[in-house]
Amino acid sequence: MIGIVIGVLGRLVVPGRQRIGVLWTIAVGIVAALLGSATAAGFGVADTDGPDWIEWFVQIALAALGVAAVDRGRTRH
């Protein structure tokens, strides 16, 4: 579930139209969620007393980069 949310939010951050499908968006979101959690844990900001805003920001930023990279890679073919 979190992969869908992170993928969609990452896709919303990227300007313009992306030519990738829903499954690619979900896949990018899952990978970004996992990498974002690991990165946040590495910096010690994964577990806070309230909402983990920094962890979410890292995950969404990684998803945006992933969506842009997949879109760019798919449009070259």
Side-chain angles (χ1 to χ4, degrees):
M1 180 71 172
I2 191 70
I4 297 169
V5 174
I6 296 297
V8 169
L9 290 174
R11 192 170 177 158
L12 288 174
V13 171
V14 178
R17 182 172 184 239
Q18 296 83 39
R19 293 171 187 85
I20 66 172
V22 174
L23 293 178
W24 276 110
T25 302
I26 293 170
V28 167
I30 291 169
V31 172
L34 293 172
L35 289 176
S37 292
T39 302
F43 285 111
V45 295
D47 294 320
T48 59
D49 291 333
D52 297 327
W53 296 112
I54 297 171
E55 182 177 7
W56 272 65
F57 176 75
V58 171
Q59 290 173 337
I60 294 168
L62 288 172
L65 290 172
V67 165
V70 170
D71 181 50
R72 185 172 181 175
R74 292 187 50 83
T75 56
R76 285 188 178 177
H77 295 271

